[in-house]
Amino acid sequence: QALGPALYLRGWARARAGDPVAGHADLLAGVAVDEQLGMRRGRTGVLLYAADGLQCAGRWADAQDQIDAAFSLAERTGERMYLPDLWLLRARAALGQGEQARALSALNECLREAGEQGALPSCLKGKGGRGGSTPTPPAYAYQMWTRSSGGR
């Protein structure tokens, strides 16, 4: 039962380490193993890893297809855990395709969803009064993110 997750996590790691084609193949092999066993666990996250790997290869349209599939699955299953990450990948895909307005819109949705889940990453939180924190304005977060990611 662990072979499926092992393959798709290895695939994601391979894609992030510079071999996105082989990594994507591993991801798909892990999904196939899970399907043979009738497992449906964390499929939204697997699609997220697949999209991330495709983005590493510069395959923006293919990555967008995986992101769309993940959003569709999350809607059908009610699984919201990966939604902030999916919105962030959607923003990165938009930047990869030169669509800055769409990227900013996706980043706004990322921040909104993460805020609703109480899952804003610390790098997107500003200092509020008396030790509290308030979300960084989305436009500023977008500028910081595009600078740190090289616009990818």
Side-chain angles (χ1 to χ4, degrees):
Q1 291 181 354
L3 181 57
L7 283 169
Y8 50 76
L9 289 174
R10 181 178 76 179
W12 176 73
R14 286 176 80 180
R16 297 295 290 161
D19 193 357
V21 174
H24 193 257
D26 285 345
L27 277 157
L28 296 179
V31 168
V33 167
D34 275 359
E35 286 177 354
Q36 288 174 351
L37 295 172
M39 305 293 259
R40 298 283 182 247
R41 62 181 165 215
R43 191 59 53 89
T44 304
V46 175
L47 293 172
L48 174 111
Y49 296 143
D52 186 53
L54 290 167
Q55 287 183 349
C56 289
R59 293 172 52 188
W60 303 110
D62 292 334
Q64 187 59 56
D65 290 344
Q66 293 288 287
I67 294 165
D68 292 343
F71 272 111
S72 177
L73 180 61
E75 186 175 316
R76 284 193 317 270
T77 63
E79 181 182 40
R80 293 183 59 205
M81 181 172 132
Y82 295 104
L83 291 180
D85 296 313
L86 287 169
W87 282 112
L88 195 57
L89 284 182
R90 184 170 273 174
R92 190 190 307 157
L95 282 178
Q97 296 173 45
E99 299 178 26
Q100 291 187 353
R102 193 168 62 103
L104 183 55
S105 175
L107 185 58
N108 280 321
E109 287 300 315
C110 169
L111 294 172
R112 182 196 56 74
E113 181 65 36
E116 284 181 14
Q117 292 185 25
L120 281 174
S122 61
C123 65
L124 295 179
K125 289 184 179 177
K127 295 292 181 194
R130 301 191 185 252
S133 64
T134 55
T136 301
Y140 176 75
Y142 170 78
Q143 290 172 349
M144 297 306 294
W145 177 66
T146 55
R147 282 186 202 140
S148 68
S149 68
R152 292 185 291 134

